Amino acid sequence: MKYNPKTIEEKWQKFWQENKIDLTQEPGEKIKYYSLDMFSYPSGEGLHMGHARIYTASDVFARYKKMNNFAVLHPTGWDAFGLPAEQYAIKNKIHPRIAVEKNTARFKEQMKSLAFSYDWEREINTTDPKFYKWTQWTFIKMFERGLAFESNEPINWCPTCKTGLANEDLENGRCERCGSIVEKRPMRQWVLRITDYAEALLSDLEPLHWAESAKEGQRNWIGKSEGAEINFAIKDSTEKITVFTTRADTLFGATYVVLAPEHEFIHKLEDKIQNISEVKAYVEAAAKKTEIDRTAEGKEKTGVELKGIMAINPGTNEEIPIWVADYVLGDYGTGAVMAVPTHDERDFEFAEKYHLPQKDVEVSESIKEENIKKFGQPKTRYKLRDWVFSRQRYWGEPIPIIHCEKCGSVPVPEKDLPVVLPEVESYEPNDSGESPLANISEWVNVECPKCGGKGKRETNTMPQWAGSSWYYLRYIDPNNGQALVDPVKEKQWMNVDMYIGGNEHITRHLIYARFWHKFLYDIGVVSTIEPFKELKTVGLILASDGKKMSKRWGNVVNPDEMVNKYGTDALRIYMMFIGPFAQPAAFLENGVAAAKSFLNRIGLIAEKVQENVKSSPEITALIHQTIKKVGDDLHNFRFNTAVSALMICANALSDEEEISKEVFEKFAQLLAPIAPHMAEELWNELGNKDSIFSSTWPRYEEKYLINQVVTIAVQVNGRMRDTFEIAHDASEEIIKHTALNRPSTKKWIDGQEIKKIIVVKGKIINIVI
Ligand code: ANZ
Ligand code: ZN
C-alpha cells in the first residue's frame, strides 16, 4: 500500500461524517464518559500548534475511550465574547460578530482537517443569544440571592482597555491583555460574591484528581490564613483600630500600628491629626502607585506618622505611635497591622528606617492561643476577592438589569431573556466609565418591569469569563429553550470526567467555573458540587529555537502548513511523540517528516499481511505486550511512550516475511486513536466494512505478558557444567537457589564446601568450590 495522506484523509473524513461516527451515543448499556477540552477562543490567527497539541491529545483520549466501549461525550464550541475579539474587530474595522463568524469558520475547518472527533451537532457559542440567555438567567438568580450586587469601591481600571478589571485579570499589577499599569478607580460596578464560596472552593479541591500543582495554584489564589483580630484603643478617644494578625503571640512586641493609606480612620480622626496635610499628601501619592510598587520585596518602605494620636497596645497597656504606610494594603485583612519589628521582616525594615522601638518577646503556639482568647476574636481571612463582573465594553453579554428611579435595580423578567446585545455605530471604548451601549437611547430607555415607570437598562457588559464558567453544561443539552440543562440529562452526564486544558487557566477560569457550578448546585440546577473530576494540563509548544512561537520572533509554524506537507496523521503522531504531555516541548519539522516515514513504513508492512498464516510465538507475544503498553499509556496520558511502543512493534513486524491478518488488525486498532485515517484505511484493506472506531479495543492475554525466558549457564570452577531456563528478570537469589537445587549441578559440587558464587544476571552463574 502506497501511503498517500491526501486521498485517504479526504475519503475517511467524508465516511465518518456520512456515517455519523463522531456523534455522541446515549449512555444506555454503556458507561458514560465525558471527555472535555477547554474550548477555544477563535482568534484571527487561526489554530496554532499549542491547540494542535492539546486537542490532538484530547481527541486521542476520546477515541481510545470510545473503542473501550464507553459512551463518550466529546464536544467543542467557541468562547467568543470579550476583549480579544473586540480588539481584533476594532483593528480590522469589522463588527465583532462578523469577526467571530469568520474566525470560527476557519477554526472549525482546521479542526476538521485535524480529524478531531467532536460531536459537531452539540457545538455551542457563548455569543449566541440562545446560549447567553442562560448566562443572564444565572446572573439574575445570583442577583435574587444577593450574590450579584452593585458596589462603588475603587477597582482596577485599565487606562488603555478603558474598562474595569477583576483581580484575576492582572499580572503583576498590569493589565493581562495590554500590559498597562492599572489604576485604582472608584466606580459603580457589578460584583459577584465569590468569597462566600471561598471555604468550599478550598475544601472541595481535595478529592479531585487534579495535578498537585493545579490544586496548589488554586489554594494560593484563595489564600486562606487563620489569625485573629485585635483591637487597639486610641488614647483619649472612644475610637479603636482593629488589626488582623496571624501572629497574636507577638502582641507584646507590637511597638507601633500601621494603617493602609486607604484606611477610613484617617478621615475620622482628621481633626486630631496634627500633620494632616502631610498625611493627606502621602495618601494621595500612594493612590497613584500600583500594588506591586507598594509591596515588592526589597522596595524601600515609606510612611508618615499620625502626629497627635497614640494607640494603646492591649497586651502591655503601653502607648504606641500610629503610622500610615503603603506597604499595608487597604483591601486585605482590616487594612491595619500591629507592627512587630522583632518578628516581621517588613516591620523591621520600617522600624530601622524611622528609628521606631523594637522589643524582644517570647512567642509560642500556647501564647498565641492565650492571646487570642484574652484580646480578640479568632478570624479567618482569604486573599480571594469578590469578582468584579462588569466591563465598560461593547462585546459581552448585557447585564440583565433595569434601573428604575422608584424601584432601584430590577432584574429583567425571565420571559424577556435574552437581553440581546444591540447593534451600535461605534463599539470603541471610551473613558467615561460607561460602555458604548450607553449611547443607544432606544435600547437604554425602557419601562421598569416592576412599576411600569421610566427605566434605564444597565449598559455594562459581562467579562469574557462569564460564558466559560458554565459552558460545559450546555453541551449536554445544547438546544434546550426551557432550561439551562435538562435535569435528567445533567444527571446522566455530569461530572466532566476528564478536563484537558492549559495551565494559564488554573486561577481564573477554573476558579470562576467551580464557583458558578457551586452556585448552580445550590439552586438545584446541577447535581454535583464540583464540575471537573480529573484535570490534565498541557505543556507549551515552543519553536525550534526554544522560544515561544510568536509573530514577533518570526518562528511560528502553522498546523495547516504541516498538514499540507506531511498529512494530518503525521502531525498527530508527532504532536503525541514530541514529549511528556504536561511538559513544554520544542517543535521540530524533522519530527513531522519522521512521523510520515513511520506511516510509509506501516504501508509497506501492510503488504506482507497474509490471510492464512500463523504468527511466530515472538510476534504473538509482542502484539499482546503492545496492546497492554499502548492501552496503559493512553489511559495515563503517556502519549509519547504509546507512540514509541507502536514504533517498536512496527520494527519487529518489518523484519517478518509474512504477517498474520489477526496480528495486523490489532496493530491497526492500536494505531487508530493517534493516526485515524491510516488506521481506518488499513482496517478497510483487511476486509472490514464497519469503521475501525466501531470496533472494540483489542484485549491482551495475560499469558503473553509473562516475562521472556533466558538460558543461564552454570559453571563450576570456571567450567561449564549445566544450563537451565529461567525468567529473564529472575533475581540473583532465585538463580542461586535454582542452580544449587538442580541434580545436574549438584553432582559437580559433590558435597564440597562452596567458597564463592558469582552471578551475572540473565547469563551465568559461577560456583567456586
Ligand atoms: C503581626 C505579625 C508579626 C505578623 C509577625 C506577621 C508576622 P498572611 O499570612 O498573608 O495572611 N498584614 C495584615 N493585614 C495586612 C495588610 N492589609 N497589608 C499588609 N500586611 C498585612 O499575613 C498576615 C500578616 O500580614 C498579619 O500578621 C499582619 O502582620 C500582616 F511576626 O501581624 B502580622
Ligand atoms: Zn488593558
Side-chain angles (χ1 to χ4, degrees):
M1 173 193 154
K2 176 94 184 68
Y3 176 55
N4 184 344
K6 282 249 158 56
T7 32
I8 70 165
E9 282 170 18
E10 219 169 278
K11 174 165 106 192
W12 294 116
Q13 284 176 22
K14 197 160 156 256
F15 174 86
W16 294 328
Q17 188 163 348
E18 280 168 3
N19 291 280
K20 300 184 186 297
I21 293 297
D22 297 337
L23 296 193
T24 311
Q25 291 182 18
E26 291 302 326
E29 311 220 313
K30 295 184 171 186
I31 298 170
K32 72 94 184 179
Y33 196 90
Y34 190 175
S35 180
L36 183 68
D37 44 51
M38 293 182 185
F39 63 164
S40 39
Y41 175 74
S43 77
E45 319 278 309
L47 206 77
H48 57 65
M49 228 25 120
H51 290 123
R53 182 182 201 185
I54 171 180
Y55 294 148
T56 301
S58 152
D59 186 68
V60 168
F61 188 70
R63 287 179 186 274
Y64 168 71
K65 281 283 171 187
K66 277 183 208 175
M67 291 178 76
N68 276 278
N69 275 327
F70 287 89
V72 175
L73 176 57
H74 185 52
T76 198
W78 315 102
D79 184 18
F81 265 137
L83 274 181
E86 190 178 299
Q87 281 162 342
Y88 174 85
I90 290 172
K91 199 167 139 223
N92 294 283
K93 301 210 181 339
I94 45 172
H95 192 288
R97 185 167 33 75
I98 309 288
V100 164
E101 272 168 22
K102 196 178 135 218
N103 296 345
T104 300
R106 171 146 159 67
F107 262 71
K108 193 167 171 176
E109 190 191 324
Q110 287 179 294
M111 287 176 163
K112 287 189 163 177
S113 93
L114 286 163
F116 299 149
S117 58
Y118 296 123
D119 177 350
W120 288 105
E121 290 189 2
R122 291 171 186 259
E123 178 182 353
I124 52 132
N125 189 322
T126 56
T127 67
D128 177 351
K130 292 207 277 298
F131 178 93
Y132 68 66
K133 170 180 176 176
W134 299 104
T135 316
Q136 292 175 334
W137 179 87
T138 313
F139 179 88
I140 288 171
K141 295 291 164 206
M142 289 187 182
F143 175 80
E144 288 167 355
R145 281 160 184 77
L147 279 161
F149 62 99
E150 282 165 284
S151 149
N152 285 290
E153 310 243 313
I155 55 159
N156 308 304
W157 170 265
C158 173
T160 310
C161 298
K162 301 192 199 306
T163 182
L165 297 171
N167 263 14
E168 287 79 11
D169 297 322
L170 309 189
E171 252 168 35
N172 296 326
R174 289 169 186 272
C175 168
E176 157 280 336
R177 275 299 303 157
C178 71
S180 305
I181 294 181
V182 298
E183 300 163 359
K184 284 276 179 195
R185 186 164 169 174
M187 59 191 290
R188 187 188 67 88
Q189 82 234 228
W190 284 94
V191 182
L192 301 188
R193 217 182 285 282
I194 191 171
T195 52
D196 270 17
Y197 287 84
E199 190 54 45
L201 286 169
L202 196 65
S203 49
D204 295 343
L205 264 180
E206 293 322 310
L208 301 179
H209 299 280
W210 290 19
E212 191 46 38
S213 60
K215 287 189 182 179
E216 194 56 22
Q218 295 239 325
R219 275 185 215 117
N220 290 338
W221 191 259
I222 297 163
K224 179 176 181 170
S225 53
E226 283 171 292
E229 283 185 359
I230 299 179
N231 292 324
F232 284 64
I234 304 299
K235 194 189 165 203
D236 303 328
S237 161
T238 54
E239 295 288 340
K240 59 180 191 321
I241 293 172
T242 307
V243 305
F244 174 65
T245 177
T246 47
R247 293 292 308 276
D249 50 337
T250 64
L251 175 66
F252 292 85
T255 50
Y256 57 98
V257 166
V258 190
L259 304 179
E262 295 85 359
H263 203 283
E264 53 162 16
F265 186 82
I266 296 167
H267 304 284
K268 265 198 197 154
L269 290 196
E270 243 185 78
D271 303 344
K272 290 199 176 160
I273 301 172
Q274 287 159 3
N275 57 338
I276 188 69
S277 51
E278 187 193 0
V279 170
K280 278 190 166 166
Y282 181 81
V283 169
E284 260 169 57
K288 297 209 178 81
K289 288 201 204 165
T290 65
E291 192 170 310
I292 287 298
D293 275 346
R294 284 170 55 162
T295 56
E297 229 174 286
K299 268 258 151 89
E300 187 167 327
K301 300 197 168 23
T302 61
V304 174
E305 184 177 354
L306 307 185
K307 298 226 166 88
I309 50 172
M310 295 292 260
I312 294 164
N313 180 327
T316 62
N317 283 319
E318 280 168 0
E319 290 177 19
I320 56 174
I322 305 171
W323 284 66
V324 54
D326 63 14
Y327 76 87
V328 176
L329 300 174
D331 61 358
Y332 184 64
T334 60
V337 306
M338 61 179 206
V340 188
T342 45
H343 285 273
D344 184 277
E345 190 58 36
R346 293 165 305 179
D347 299 342
F348 174 73
E349 273 175 50
F350 196 80
E352 285 285 302
K353 178 170 172 184
Y354 293 107
H355 309 292
L356 291 159
Q358 306 189 19
K359 207 170 149 190
D360 260 327
V361 283
E362 198 191 322
V363 293
S364 72
E365 275 306 310
S366 61
I367 298 178
K368 187 193 265 183
E369 272 167 39
E370 205 175 297
N371 282 354
I372 294 177
K373 253 197 226 127
K374 253 202 205 117
F375 303 104
Q377 294 283 344
K379 185 91 190 170
T380 300
R381 289 278 174 184
Y382 299 90
K383 296 244 158 52
L384 184 71
R385 294 282 77 111
D386 280 331
W387 180 5
V388 173
F389 198 68
S390 42
R391 298 290 176 274
Q392 291 67 46
R393 301 284 304 214
Y394 172 67
W395 191 238
E397 302 87 342
I399 290 179
I401 293 286
I402 292 166
H403 300 280
C404 167
E405 272 180 23
K406 253 205 270 164
C407 311
S409 302
V410 182
V412 172
E414 194 173 326
K415 67 172 174 41
D416 296 338
L417 296 179
V419 178
V420 176
L421 185 64
E423 295 296 319
V424 285
E425 267 173 36
S426 160
Y427 36 79
E428 303 242 359
N430 58 62
D431 228 4
S432 66
E434 298 224 59
S435 90
L437 295 181
N439 300 328
I440 330 170
S441 52
E442 356 31 302
W443 184 78
V444 171
N445 296 303
V446 286
E447 266 182 18
C448 166
K450 219 172 177 177
C451 72
K454 274 192 188 165
K456 278 183 183 303
R457 281 192 195 280
E458 171 64 58
T459 59
N460 281 329
T461 55
M462 297 187 193
Q464 189 186 336
W465 307 91
S468 57
S469 293
W470 69 276
Y471 75 111
Y472 53 89
L473 291 169
R474 196 62 180 170
Y475 291 128
I476 293 172
D477 196 10
N479 303 310
N480 195 333
Q482 305 309 312
L484 188 151
V485 59
D486 176 85
V488 175
K489 293 183 182 169
E490 186 276 333
K491 277 203 191 68
Q492 215 168 21
W493 282 109
M494 282 303 280
N495 293 352
V496 173
D497 296 282
M498 176 63 77
Y499 198 28
I500 309 166
N503 258 314
E504 67 278 17
H505 294 296
I506 282 167
T507 49
R508 233 194 317 194
H509 161 58
L510 287 170
I511 291 260
Y512 292 154
R514 292 182 61 222
F515 155 64
W516 202 281
H517 192 87
K518 286 178 183 304
F519 173 72
L520 291 175
Y521 175 80
D522 285 348
I523 62 168
V525 174
V526 298
S527 58
T528 62
I529 55 169
E530 284 287 333
F532 314 119
K533 205 149 74 188
E534 186 158 358
L535 174 76
K536 299 271 189 203
T537 56
V538 65
L540 279 183
I541 290 285
L542 306 169
S544 56
D545 53 11
K547 285 190 189 142
K548 221 177 134 168
M549 278 195 190
S550 148
K551 270 206 222 151
R552 192 154 115 219
W553 309 118
N555 58 6
V556 177
V557 185
N558 198 305
D560 294 352
E561 201 184 313
M562 294 298 110
V563 166
N564 282 334
K565 235 165 141 176
Y566 305 100
T568 296
D569 285 346
L571 179 61
R572 288 174 62 111
I573 289 173
Y574 178 58
M575 283 283 101
M576 295 299 88
F577 192 55
I578 195 165
F581 179 67
Q583 303 215 335
F587 184 90
L588 300 169
E589 188 172 335
N590 282 348
V592 194
K596 167 115 195 254
S597 320
F598 174 51
L599 289 164
N600 283 336
R601 192 135 44 89
I602 293 173
L604 297 176
I605 297 170
E607 287 169 10
K608 303 186 197 179
V609 176
Q610 299 286 339
E611 195 71 53
N612 292 317
V613 297
K614 261 191 82 142
S615 299
S616 66
E618 287 81 11
I619 289 292
T620 307
L622 178 64
I623 195 77
H624 282 268
Q625 285 158 11
T626 309
I627 294 169
K628 172 153 172 52
K629 171 81 178 141
V630 173
D632 286 354
D633 282 352
L634 295 185
H635 180 78
N636 291 302
F637 273 54
R638 293 187 303 248
F639 303 105
N640 56 328
T641 52
V643 174
S644 51
L646 287 169
M647 288 174 169
I648 291 168
C649 185
N651 280 346
L653 294 180
S654 296
D655 294 341
E656 295 292 296
E657 294 289 327
E658 295 173 322
I659 297 163
S660 79
K661 187 177 150 187
E662 198 198 343
V663 161
F664 202 60
E665 264 187 349
K666 293 194 167 97
F667 180 81
Q669 286 179 300
L670 300 183
L671 183 71
I674 302 177
H677 309 90
M678 180 60 160
E680 191 76 282
E681 178 74 15
L682 298 172
W683 187 250
N684 184 262
E685 297 241 318
L686 290 168
N688 296 289
K689 291 282 163 285
D690 283 345
S691 167
I692 194 168
F693 297 102
S694 310
S695 75
T696 300
W697 191 256
R699 300 266 159 257
Y700 57 82
E701 281 179 55
E702 212 60 58
K703 68 177 181 206
Y704 295 111
L705 307 181
I706 294 167
N707 287 321
Q708 287 144 1
V709 160
V710 288
T711 305
I712 304 278
V714 183
Q715 297 180 346
V716 178
N717 284 350
R719 304 187 88 183
M720 168 111 117
R721 299 297 189 194
D722 186 16
T723 61
F724 63 91
E725 290 193 329
I726 198 163
H728 76 96
D729 60 351
S731 70
E732 224 169 274
E733 278 316 303
I734 300 235
I735 293 172
K736 276 186 204 169
H737 183 82
T738 312
L740 296 176
N741 283 299
R742 290 172 60 77
S744 44
T745 302
K746 264 188 187 159
K747 74 172 185 215
W748 292 102
I749 299 170
D750 193 24
Q752 299 187 57
E753 188 202 345
I754 297 172
K755 291 194 176 134
K756 206 172 166 188
I757 301 179
I758 303 156
V759 177
V760 183
K761 259 178 77 179
K763 288 202 175 94
I764 298 171
I765 175 166
N766 189 9
I767 303 164
V768 184
I769 51 177

